[in-house]
Every structure is written in structure tokens, then in C-alpha cells.
Amino acid sequence: RKDSLLSGGEDGLIKLWSIKSSSSSDQTGDQSQPRQSPRFFNSRQIAPATAIDFDASDAQIFSGHQGRIICIKTAWHGDKLLSGGADKTARLWDMSGVSDSPLSTFQGHQGIVTQTHFWGPNTIVSASTDRSIALWDTRAGSSPIFALRHHLAPVSDLILGNRSEPLMISAGADGSLATWDFRVLSGTDLDTLDQNTQEKSRSLRTVRTPV
């Protein structure tokens, strides 16, 4: 969202802050404080960083995780939010202000959730210290539909392209990289992925070999 900032904390809370209100307050604050000198890098002037104190009373708070927040990711349209936590869950939130409770809670990982990503209109992807990557259908309940198991150590990162890009790259703490093709997982092309995924969502499929 424009003029907004998201944060996740050790307290298990996710907060949506308004940068606009904080910036305007800062501009009208005490003008007597000394100004920092600009810094230079490669002969280019860089404006000094300015500390901003955010007012917690103005933040929208999302609560539900039973442990610290590890990762957060917003959808491309800005209305939905994914989070992963030390409580081994991924959660989907509505940022429209209708509710501060999660829309869905996805349970299935046996370790801390290290990454969460949106892909397509109904699919989300999560990674974990349990060495697995899970694919979930938001319409099919709280259990994963695919478990990708290739890495021999915690999965530390996921790289996805745009929402229609079929390839994903995963990185593990064992130093390995793997490329996954959603078209191979679904056994179909992108146009019918959602339909086939929904039909197969009742049973978990485990895939151990990337493309």
C-alpha cells in the first residue's frame, strides 16, 4: 500500500503503519535539533537517514501467530498479506480493515516457516526449516496440496517471478539450489492449473526431484 509500512515482531504481532502521518508529524516537529551533514558515496550526495518514531496507537494490528514473525509478503494488489512464523504456520490476512484475524491458517510444516509467497489467484507457497516447500490452495482448506522435498537442510529462500511465471527457484542451507516448474507439478498447462489443483487438493503429493 502507498504510504504504509508493514512489520512483524518477536511478540507475534504484525503491524501496518502509516508513513504519511509520521512523516508529516516529523516535518512539523522540533526544528531546533541539529541537522545531519549529507554523506557522499562515489561522488554522489546521499541524503542522511532520518529516524522516524511511529505511533503504535495509529497502527493496524494483526494478531494470531503464537510466536515470532519470520516473514511477511503482500499480494500484488495490496489487499492481502501472507505471514510465516516460528509457530510453524503460514497465515493469510485481509488488509482492508474488515478483520484483524487471519482469513486462513495453513498448518502442515514441522519447522519454522521461513518464506511465504503468492502465486496465481489461489495458490500460495511456503518454505520451512523442516527442509520442505509446501504449495497450498486457499480454497481447499488448511492442508498443503504439494510438498517439495529436495534440500537436505532448511529452505532459506524462494524466488518466484510474476504471478503467471511457472518457474520457482529454492535455496537451501546445504548450499543447494533447485528449480521447480509448476506446470510439471500440476501435470497441465497454466490455463487449467487452478482447476486441476482444486481437484487434487484432497490428497498431499510429495515431489522430490526438481526440473
Side-chain angles (χ1 to χ4, degrees):
R1 285 183 176 185
K2 185 178 180 180
D3 298 324
S4 298
L5 174 70
L6 277 166
S7 66
E10 291 277 347
D11 55 4
L13 299 179
I14 300 169
K15 296 183 179 182
L16 178 63
W17 310 82
S18 173
I19 297 177
K20 186 175 181 179
S21 60
S22 298
S23 299
S24 59
S25 298
D26 181 71
Q27 291 174 1
T28 58
D30 185 5
Q31 301 296 326
S32 63
Q33 295 186 5
R35 299 184 61 182
Q36 294 174 292
S37 300
R39 294 168 290 178
F40 293 85
F41 180 74
N42 287 345
S43 300
R44 295 180 58 189
Q45 182 173 321
I46 306 297
T50 302
I52 300 176
D53 292 328
F54 292 98
D55 186 355
S57 63
D58 293 335
Q60 182 179 355
I61 300 176
F62 302 92
S63 61
H65 279 286
Q66 304 302 310
R68 70 183 186 274
I69 306 300
I70 305 299
C71 57
I72 50 179
K73 175 73 72 172
T74 57
W76 52 90
H77 46 66
D79 292 335
K80 294 292 188 298
L81 168 70
L82 275 176
S83 61
D87 59 0
K88 306 176 184 179
T89 68
R91 299 177 190 246
L92 176 66
W93 311 82
D94 184 357
M95 295 175 60
S96 65
V98 175
S99 174
D100 295 335
S101 300
L103 296 173
S104 301
T105 299
F106 303 99
Q107 300 175 312
H109 282 297
Q110 301 302 310
I112 292 172
V113 177
T114 57
Q115 292 284 323
T116 53
H117 287 270
F118 290 93
W119 186 82
N122 301 298
T123 303
I124 66 172
V125 186
S126 61
S128 172
T129 58
D130 65 8
R131 304 179 295 177
S132 74
I133 302 163
L135 273 67
W136 319 74
D137 188 327
T138 58
R139 304 162 298 179
S142 61
S143 298
I145 53 178
F146 288 97
L148 313 182
R149 299 184 179 276
H150 171 74
H151 296 287
L152 302 179
V155 182
S156 56
D157 205 357
L158 297 174
I159 299 177
L160 287 78
N162 58 45
R163 53 186 174 176
S164 61
E165 170 62 48
L167 298 180
M168 173 179 69
I169 299 174
S170 59
D174 56 355
S176 64
L177 295 173
T179 302
W180 308 89
D181 191 331
F182 291 130
R183 295 168 298 187
V184 174
L185 297 178
S186 64
T188 185
D189 57 34
L190 294 178
D191 293 335
T192 56
L193 174 61
D194 283 337
Q195 178 180 351
N196 282 27
T197 298
Q198 190 173 25
E199 292 173 354
K200 297 173 182 177
S201 61
R202 295 184 180 180
S203 60
L204 173 65
R205 296 177 59 190
T206 300
V207 180
R208 301 184 183 274
T209 306
V211 296

